[in-house]
Every structure is written in structure tokens, then in C-alpha cells.
């Protein structure tokens, strides 16, 4: 179960978002309208309204929070400055006006490395059973960079995602390829077990 915390200036938005996330099977650990010094170490993701961030150090604050959990910034209006949040360590920037499924899938992808599943009868339960061809585009990008010798931190910077998200992708890739370490992942990439990765 994905555990989230929400910090937002709008009590009505918090109530609605809590309802949506609870219905999606997520556990909302805490909701509040302002930041505290408490570290969100139990949460898989922290959903933050930029309006609660300290004006003098909003990016530094995002960076410090991202060291403990995945940070998802929830914007009222899109902004060209959103890329700065990603560079500071946020895993994702979403619009508060986005449809429910976009927000739910964004949280799933950030915390698990994959969008929310629709557990219908056609889907395999075991990721390893899917084999190498089942790597997502993002997993292929991560694998390519591993084969180039990049560290998880370097991969996170180049792809504009958090290190925690890179770690999640690597775990999923290892499971899918049956690889135990980076050398085996690199060998899989170099031997062409995964083709055409961007």
C-alpha cells in the first residue's frame, strides 16, 4: 500500500484529494496546511502545494524533503519554473486540475516505477514472468545509463527524477531481467537482451 502525506493551502482540495487517494487504495498518513520540521520518513510520497514552501528557500526545501521521500509538487497553474522543482529533487509536478487518474497514476509511477495497475484477468501477476521485452520506456532509459556506468544519482539528474525513483526502476529491471547486480544489468544491455532503448 502506497503511503502519502499531503501539505496544501486549500482544505477543500485536501478533503477531495484524500478521498480520491483512499478510493485508489492509498493510505493518507497526514494532511496539513503548512510545513513543519517533521521529516516525512514514513511516507512513500509527499504531495506539496508550492504556496506552503518558504519563499526564500523553496527549492532548497524541496531538495531536503526529496532526501527522505518522493516529492510531488501540486501546482494550481502550470509554470515555466516547474523544471526548477524537478532539478531540485521533486519527482513530479502535477496540476491540481488534472483528472483523478492522472494524479493517481503519477503517484503510482513515482513510488513504484509503474502506473496504477488495472488488475484484470489479462495481466500477469509476476513482473518477472513478463521477461525483458516488458521493460517500460523509462526502465529502458535507466538501463541504458547503467550500462554507460552512471551512478543512480547521475541517472536521476539526467532524467529529471529522484534518486529514490531510480532505485525503484533498478529493482524492477533486476526482477524482470533476473539480474543480481549492475554487472549483470550491463551485460544484459550490451548483449542486446533489451533492444532499442532511448
Amino acid at each position: 500500500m502506497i503511503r502519502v502525506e499531503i501539505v496544501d493551502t486549500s482544505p477543500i482540495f485536501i478533503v477531495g484529494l484524500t478521498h480520491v487517494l483512499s478510493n485508489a487504495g492509498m493510505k493518507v498518513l497526514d494532511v496539513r496546511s503548512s510545513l513543519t520540521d517533521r521529516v516525512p520518513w514514513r511516507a512513500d510520497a509527499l504531495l506539496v502545494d508550492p504556496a506552503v514552501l518558504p519563499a526564500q528557500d523553496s527549492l532548497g526545501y524541496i531538495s531536503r524533503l526529496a532526501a527522505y521521500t518522493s516529492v510531488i509538487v501540486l501546482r494550481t497553474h502550470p509554470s515555466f519554473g516547474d523544471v526548477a522543482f524537478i532539478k531540485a529533487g521533486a519527482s513530479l509536478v502535477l496540476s491540481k486540475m488534472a483528472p483523478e487518474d492522472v494524479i493517481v497514476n503519477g503517484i503510482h509511477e513515482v513510488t513504484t516505477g509503474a502506473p496504477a495497475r488495472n488488475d484484470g484477468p489479462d495481466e500477469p501477476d509476476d513482473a518477472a514472468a513478463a521477461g525483458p521485452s516488458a521493460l517500460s520506456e523509462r526502465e529502458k532509459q535507466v538501463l541504458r545509463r547503467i550500462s554507460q556506468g552512471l551512478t543512480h544519482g547521475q541517472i536521476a539528474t539526467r532524467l529529471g527524477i529522484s534518486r529514490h525513483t531510480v532505485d525503484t526502476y533498478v529493482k524492477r529491471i533486476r526482477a524482470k531481467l533476473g539480474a543480481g547486480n549492475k554487472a549483470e544489468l550491463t551485460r544484459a544491455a550490451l548483449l542486446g537482451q533489451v533492444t532499442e532503448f532511448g
Side-chain angles (χ1 to χ4, degrees):
M1 175 180 289
I2 296 172
R3 299 163 302 171
V4 301
E5 292 188 17
I6 305 168
V7 186
D8 196 280
T9 55
S10 170
I12 292 174
F13 180 76
I14 288 175
V15 169
L17 184 58
T18 300
H19 177 75
V20 166
L21 299 183
S22 296
N23 285 344
M26 297 183 197
K27 181 165 181 68
V28 179
L29 298 175
D30 190 21
V31 296
R32 55 193 183 279
S33 59
S34 62
L35 288 170
T36 65
D37 289 334
R38 189 179 59 75
V39 174
W41 62 271
R42 294 183 323 149
D44 299 308
L46 176 67
L47 286 64
V48 178
D49 176 352
V52 304
L53 297 171
Q56 68 277 14
D57 190 27
S58 60
L59 297 179
Y61 209 95
I62 290 284
S63 181
R64 288 188 293 278
L65 290 170
Y68 299 99
T69 190
S70 297
V71 176
I72 299 174
V73 176
L74 295 174
R75 299 279 293 181
T76 303
H77 303 290
S79 165
F80 290 111
D82 290 349
V83 72
F85 288 121
I86 298 296
K87 287 182 177 178
S91 300
L92 186 62
V93 178
L94 290 173
S95 168
K96 289 184 179 183
M97 304 304 287
E100 294 175 13
D101 62 319
V102 170
I103 293 174
V104 169
N105 282 332
I107 295 169
H108 268 276
E109 187 154 349
V110 163
T111 58
T112 68
R117 288 178 41 144
N118 176 10
D119 288 326
D122 298 334
E123 289 199 43
D125 289 333
D126 184 46
S133 64
L135 290 183
S136 71
E137 287 306 309
R138 186 61 101 179
E139 289 167 343
K140 291 175 186 177
Q141 291 172 349
V142 170
L143 179 59
R144 177 173 169 219
R145 283 156 179 82
I146 288 172
S147 71
Q148 294 170 341
L150 272 64
T151 66
H152 290 202
Q154 291 168 326
I155 295 169
T157 300
R158 293 203 183 172
L159 296 180
I161 57 179
S162 74
R163 182 186 161 96
H164 173 75
T165 303
V166 172
D167 294 342
T168 300
Y169 282 131
V170 171
K171 288 176 192 171
R172 293 176 59 82
I173 294 166
R174 283 183 177 163
K176 288 181 179 182
L177 298 181
N181 56 38
K182 282 190 179 181
E184 291 176 7
L185 288 174
T186 301
R187 184 175 13 186
L190 295 176
L191 290 176
Q193 289 184 12
V194 178
T195 59
E196 294 304 313
F197 41 116

